Amino acid sequence: MSPEGRGIASGHSLAPAGGATFRILHVSTGNVCRSPITERLTRHALTHRLGGLVTGDLIVESAGTWGHEGAPMEANAAAVLADFGADATGFTGRELLDEHVIRADLVLTATRDHRAQVISMGHSAGLRTFTLKEFTRLVRAIDPATLPPLDDGMAERARALVRAAAALRGWLLAPSPDADEVYDPYGAPITFFRSIGDEINQALDPVVTALTGVTAPH
């Protein structure tokens, strides 16, 4: 049986009835720190940008390459989410399965090693798998006017964004080997978790803007 997706909830759809869904999969190691923070911050930002409207066309989920299946989110990770006003409730860790990769339209990983592991699983994942910071760098270089309008559906816009980012990958290289890494805060004090949370939030901002066509309110 395919794993259940963790959508941002049911409600008002921003795409025509019958429109396809778009799945974003966040991947880290244990699926108890970085990828839960990224999953829930993505969901929070999307809902916040859309003025409370919730789209059933976009599903945001996460898993870990050595996922702690059924484990709760780390307490410090939940505290970071609370700092941003994001919801940490009901989370359980998952081990990354082939099915997750097959179903994902976009895979965003914490590190280059995670990206390599996802791609090594096959399923033609190479063109839709990026580190989070890599994807952010590429998205910043994409003219939003070249993307389909949101009226065409968020899934259509998101797929165009992934295609454009993949086309730019060979041209916009990381300024340093560490530039595309989000380091693991597991076992670290809350101050380090908060710095990682800030990194993730800043990396997500242009991605969510590109997906929704709405900049973050100030």
Side-chain angles (χ1 to χ4, degrees), residues 98-156:
D98 287 308
E99 292 170 75
H100 300 138
V101 177
I102 290 167
R103 284 152 54 103
D105 297 288
L106 172 63
V107 184
L108 296 176
T109 70
T111 69
R112 291 168 296 161
D113 282 347
H114 296 132
R115 182 184 64 193
Q117 289 180 65
V118 171
I119 293 172
S120 74
M121 295 171 74
H123 315 303
S124 304
L127 290 177
R128 50 196 168 89
T129 303
F130 309 79
T131 74
L132 171 62
K133 288 186 174 181
E134 174 192 21
F135 193 66
T136 299
R137 184 175 67 253
L138 299 172
V139 164
R140 287 184 186 277
I142 296 168
D143 181 356
T146 64
L147 299 174
L150 199 59
D151 288 346
D152 289 355
M154 188 175 286
E156 186 68 25

Side-chain angles (χ1 to χ4, degrees), residues 77-215:
V80 166
L81 290 174
D83 290 343
F84 288 100
D87 184 10
T89 59
F91 182 88
T92 54
R94 303 192 302 181
E95 183 175 356
L96 181 66
L97 302 176
D98 287 308
E99 292 170 75
H100 300 138
V101 177
I102 290 167
R103 284 152 54 103
D105 297 288
L106 172 63
V107 184
L108 296 176
T109 70
T111 69
R112 291 168 296 161
D113 282 347
H114 296 132
R115 182 184 64 193
Q117 289 180 65
V118 171
I119 293 172
S120 74
M121 295 171 74
H123 315 303
S124 304
L127 290 177
R128 50 196 168 89
T129 303
F130 309 79
T131 74
L132 171 62
K133 288 186 174 181
E134 174 192 21
F135 193 66
T136 299
R137 184 175 67 253
L138 299 172
V139 164
R140 287 184 186 277
I142 296 168
D143 181 356
T146 64
L147 299 174
L150 199 59
D151 288 346
D152 289 355
M154 188 175 286
E156 186 68 25
R157 184 180 176 94
R159 288 192 176 89
L161 184 67
V162 173
R163 289 193 298 269
L168 286 173
R169 179 148 47 186
W171 300 94
L172 290 177
L173 302 180
S176 70
D178 293 337
D180 288 341
E181 306 284 290
V182 175
Y183 290 106
D184 193 355
Y186 185 77
I190 185 63
T191 51
F192 188 64
F193 267 84
R194 287 193 167 116
S195 70
I196 293 298
D198 286 339
E199 277 186 42
I200 291 170
N201 190 58
Q202 289 174 27
L204 284 172
D205 178 66
V207 175
V208 176
T209 296
L211 284 171
T212 63
V214 179
T215 56

